[in-house]
Structures are given as structure tokens and as C-alpha cells.
Amino acid sequence: MSKNIKKILVTGAVGQIGSELTASLRKRYGPQNVVAAGHHTEPSEALRDGGPFERLDVKDKEQIERVVDRHNIDTIFHMAAILSAVGEERPQLAWQVNMGGLYNVLEVARERNLVRVFSPSSIAVFGPDTPADPAPQAPPLRPTTMYGVTKVAGELLGDYYVRRFGLDVRGVRYPGIISSETLPGGGTTDYAVEIFYEALRRGHYTCFVREDTVLPMMYMPDCIQATIDVMQADRDRLIHHCDFNLAGMSFSAGELAQEIKKHIPNFTCEYIPDKRQDIADSWPRRIDDTAARNEWGWKPLYDLPSMTEDMISHLSKKISRV
Ligand code: SER
């Protein structure tokens, strides 16, 4: 049996996933019961005024302790992290934020006997020697980015806290996440979001990976659903904890451009790969998520056509407002 979640802290709540996750959790658990925490980035009005908001540097354990104690938090969704492309520019910072932050969160949770912690992982745990189509649940994990290194270590650390201290830590390996609310910050899969903004604003996009680059992706509503579902799963049914493979859809950059062209016929896309191509080439094309399907009933709703249609409908309204 899993204990009930009542009072939630979301770190990284200003980020791409954190902002929409916070809104969704506030609907589900009540606005006063979901504390959003951000660091440098200014929160949107909706995030700041839609419930409690705190400034928090996850590298500082005392700051986490203060927020957890002040709000009587029992569950943490720990979304604060440095992504892959920024992580290659600033590997030391990526280690400090991703590992230091997670260690602090886990320690605060252990010391206070919290109900549950969500610790996201990523397709970046895989490396060039992982079978790419599909990536199995448990291949050898030898990533070549600092981001990937911290995600593998984070999965192992989370699983250690489950085994050693009985702390209920859970996590999924997110694919590239596509959304219209908040821009992603410094990842390799960002092109799959930028392309929509540029298609609508300029009718042209210069893509930083090759046309034939295929990566696993997911639309935000599925991402939020997976996050909430894995956190609500019956603990007794879980064999895995912090490392669930998670699949949504897979497509090449060229296929995405073609799909957008169906809605914006004049749209053109050129491909000028930069350093992020190497990162993309080290990740798998497709994901085998049988464990997530079997252990907590995972099933995505969106494919490439339905995601593209929804993105264009949301973004065209948003862009016409500014
Ligand atoms: N979207 C992430 C990145 O590109 C992968 O988890 O860094």
C-alpha cells in the first residue's frame, strides 16, 4: 500500500515540465497544497499567484529544509536540473546542481521520513553502445554527456535510498518533451519545440540536428500523466523505482518538418548541425517501455499528427496574443 500525498513541493517549478506539472498538481491537490519553488528565473504570474511560491537553491540543503518545514511538505517532485546542452558547456555546474541537488532532496526526505520523492531521469542515461531501436529497460548505461552521467548516478542513488532507507523514490526516463507553455532550457531535444515557434512566426527554421536524426519524444499532456501515474502507482506492484523507460513517439527532424508543413504549407526547414548533433547521435531512436506498461499501466495518448495539430492550435493563439 502507498501512503497518501497531501502537501507537495515542486523544485524547478519555473522550468518547462515543472510549470505545467505544478498547475496540474494544484488542480488535483488544491492550490494551497502545492508549493512551487524556483531559483533564478522569474515565475509567470500564473505560477506565482496560483499558490505558494518560494525561492530555492537546491544546492543548499538548509534552504530545502526551511521550505519543507515551513509548509509541512510530505512529497517532493524534484524537477530542478541542468539539461544536456548546457551541461556540456558547464559540466561542473551540472554535477553540482544535478547530483548535489538530488542528494540534498533525498537527505531531507530521509531525515523527515517523507511520503515520496519524484526524481526524473532521461533518455540521456543511454550512450552510443546502447541498442538504439529500441533501447531496452536495462542495457549497460555508458552515457557520454555530463547530464547523462548525473542521470545514471541519480537513478542509482534513488534506488539506493529505496533499498537502504525504505524511502519511496520514483522516476521515469523522460524522452524529449514538446510543449507550448514554457520553453525548454538548454537541452538537445529543444529543436522539436523551437521549430513550432519559428514555423508560426517566420515560416522558416534552421534546425541544429540533421534531417534524419530520430529521437524519442513525448507531448506534455502525456508527460504530466506519466509523472502523476507513476507517483500514484501501488508501491507493491513496483519492481523498478527510479529508472522506468518511457516512450511516447519517435520521429526524425525531417518527418516533424513535413508534419508541420501539412498545417503551414509555406514552411521551410534547413539543417545545420552543431555540437548538439553529437549528443543526439549518442541517444537511442526508440524506447522499450514494457516495464512501465506492466507495473503501472503506462499508455501514451499522443502521436506525431495529434501532437502537431494540438501544438499549432495552442501556439498560434499564444503568438497572436503577444
Ligand atoms: N530533453 C533533454 C535534453 O535534451 C533530455 O532529457 O537534454
Side-chain angles (χ1 to χ4, degrees), residues 197-250:
Y197 282 81
E198 295 300 296
L200 284 162
R201 284 191 181 132
R202 275 177 268 283
H204 182 74
Y205 180 56
T206 305
C207 184
F208 58 76
V209 297
R210 278 190 323 269
E211 187 171 2
D212 63 356
T213 305
V214 177
L215 284 177
M217 301 279 179
M218 178 172 285
Y219 194 33
M220 186 62 92
D222 279 334
C223 167
I224 301 294
Q225 195 63 49
T227 308
I228 290 175
D229 284 356
V230 74
M231 284 294 271
Q232 291 200 322
D234 187 346
R235 187 173 179 175
D236 297 341
R237 277 188 65 195
L238 299 184
I239 300 161
H240 298 83
H241 295 275
C242 298
D243 62 353
F244 282 103
N245 271 8
L246 194 66
M249 58 190 97
S250 284

Side-chain angles (χ1 to χ4, degrees), residues 14 35-43 48 53-58 63-64 66-67 70:
V14 182
V35 179
H39 187 206
H40 292 307
T41 317
E42 277 308 311
R48 198 193 48 217
F53 182 83
E54 296 274 4
R55 295 260 171 211
L56 179 59
D57 178 357
V58 296
Q63 292 187 31
I64 305 173
R66 266 203 302 277
V67 172
R70 185 181 308 142

